[in-house]
């Protein structure tokens, strides 16, 4: 499919003010409407990215698809014993019972992103951040974030900062990259030379956040 994508078309649609996802969809004029609808679903987009990167790495991992039943990604409700991960997380954050969805598993929410909003604001204001070092950064995003640091929490900040060009998911990823200080090279290098170092780096970053929070 990627071989059929025309980069010039994507750039043209981007220049017209469309998001990357929308521009990519418009450039896929060789697909049927039904195929485009399938590719709009977040889990399918993610699955394709996994497959692409497995091919790049010449990985021996064989991907298998699992059919999603009854509810879709980000649905804020449950049907029978099926629920989206975001709905289950919300229940957990509100200390509600989730045993119908993940039986025989005790899930404790020990941390929330919201706990680190003040730390994030402090980093943005006080540290000299080279935003180009972060994977999800795009020119001008830092100004949009700085202009809206008076937001009450991350949810409000992301709502104010996102645009057609910059999705909420991208803003959230950038926030996490800045908080955990995960640079672009730290994401790219493990893909070239996969090792156990990346998981160790994440553990160390988590320790860093806990220390900062205690202070």
């Amino acid at each position: 499919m990627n071989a059929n994508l025309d980069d010039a078309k994507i750039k043209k649609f981007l220049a017209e003010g469309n998001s990357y996802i929308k521009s990519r969809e418009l450039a896929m004029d060789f697909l049927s409407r039904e195929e485009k609808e399938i590719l709009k679903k977040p889990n399918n987009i993610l699955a394709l990215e996994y497959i692409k990167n497995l091919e790049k790495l010449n990985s021996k991992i064989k991907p298998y698809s699992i059919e999603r039943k009854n509810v879709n990604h980000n649905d804020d409700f449950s049907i029978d014993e099926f629920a989206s991960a975001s709905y289950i997380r919300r229940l957990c954050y509100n200390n509600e019972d989730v045993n119908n969805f993940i039986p025989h598993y005790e899930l404790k929410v020990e941390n929330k992103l919201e706990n680190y909003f003040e730390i994030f604001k402090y980093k943005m204001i006080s540290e000299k951040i080279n935003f180009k070092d972060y994977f999800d950064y795009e020119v001008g995003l830092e100004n949009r974030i700085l202009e809206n640091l008076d937001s009450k929490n991350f949810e409000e900040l992301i709502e104010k900062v996102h645009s057609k060009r910059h999705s909420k998911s991208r803003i959230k990823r950038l926030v996490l990259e800045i908080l955990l200080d995960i640079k672009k090279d730290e994401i790219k290098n493990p893909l070239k030379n996969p090792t156990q170092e990346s998981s160790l780096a994440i553990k160390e970053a988590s320790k860093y956040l806990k220390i900062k929070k205690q202070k």
Side-chain angles (χ1 to χ4, degrees):
M1 183 180 72
N2 283 333
N4 296 321
L5 272 177
D6 187 338
D7 285 341
K9 280 186 180 179
I10 294 177
K11 288 177 181 176
K12 172 182 173 291
F13 292 125
L14 280 171
E16 291 174 0
N18 295 291
S19 67
Y20 178 78
I21 293 173
K22 182 64 177 177
S23 299
R24 193 166 180 265
E25 179 194 337
L26 291 169
M28 290 179 180
D29 49 11
F30 52 89
L31 295 178
S32 68
R33 180 181 295 180
E34 185 181 2
E35 287 170 329
K36 287 182 181 180
E37 284 300 316
I38 291 171
L39 290 176
K40 279 183 182 180
K41 295 182 181 293
N43 288 111
N44 293 337
I45 294 169
L46 184 61
L48 284 173
E49 291 302 317
Y50 281 143
I51 292 168
K52 280 165 53 183
N53 282 286
L54 287 174
E55 289 178 350
K56 283 181 186 177
L57 294 168
N58 293 317
S59 174
K60 293 180 181 179
I61 295 173
K62 292 182 179 179
Y64 290 91
S65 63
I66 299 174
E67 183 182 1
R68 177 181 284 275
K69 293 184 177 181
N70 295 1
V71 294
N72 291 312
H73 178 80
N74 278 345
D75 276 352
D76 195 29
F77 55 84
S78 64
I79 297 177
D80 298 329
E81 294 180 351
F82 295 91
S84 67
S86 55
Y87 180 66
I88 293 172
R89 283 195 297 271
R90 185 174 69 76
L91 292 178
C92 290
Y93 291 154
N94 294 331
N95 295 314
E96 296 182 45
D97 185 21
V98 294
N99 283 321
N100 284 341
F101 314 116
I102 43 175
H104 313 300
Y105 186 81
E106 187 178 354
L107 188 63
K108 291 183 180 179
V109 180
E110 296 181 351
N111 230 329
K112 298 179 184 178
L113 179 59
E114 291 303 330
N115 294 341
Y116 299 99
F117 188 54
E118 294 304 318
I119 292 175
F120 176 74
K121 290 200 292 184
Y122 176 80
K123 283 176 70 74
M124 288 292 296
I125 294 169
S126 65
E127 296 183 12
K128 292 182 179 178
I129 299 174
N130 186 356
F131 293 94
K132 292 180 182 178
D133 287 343
Y134 295 104
F135 197 82
D136 284 284
Y137 169 73
E138 215 174 279
V139 177
L141 260 180
E142 75 278 26
N143 295 325
R144 291 179 64 84
I145 292 173
L146 286 167
E147 287 168 4
N148 291 287
L149 278 183
D150 59 344
S151 300
K152 295 177 183 177
N153 49 44
F154 279 121
E155 185 178 356
E156 185 178 315
L157 176 70
I158 292 167
E159 185 64 39
K160 288 179 177 178
V161 173
H162 93 281
S163 62
K164 281 187 177 180
R165 194 178 184 88
H166 307 116
S167 68
K168 291 181 182 179
S169 296
R170 181 170 196 164
I171 307 300
K172 191 169 186 178
R173 287 196 303 269
L174 179 60
V175 164
L176 288 169
E177 288 160 14
I178 293 171
L179 263 177
L180 296 170
D181 201 29
I182 299 175
K183 305 288 177 63
K184 194 184 298 182
D185 291 341
E186 293 175 85
I187 296 174
K188 288 184 175 179
N189 290 341
L191 292 175
K192 295 176 183 175
N193 303 296
T195 66
Q196 292 182 341
E197 292 176 6
S198 22
S199 60
L200 289 173
I202 291 170
K203 287 180 182 176
E204 288 303 315
S206 300
K207 288 180 186 175
Y208 166 78
L209 271 185
K210 286 179 182 177
I211 292 168
K212 293 281 282 185
K213 179 66 180 171
Q214 288 168 2
K215 289 181 179 178

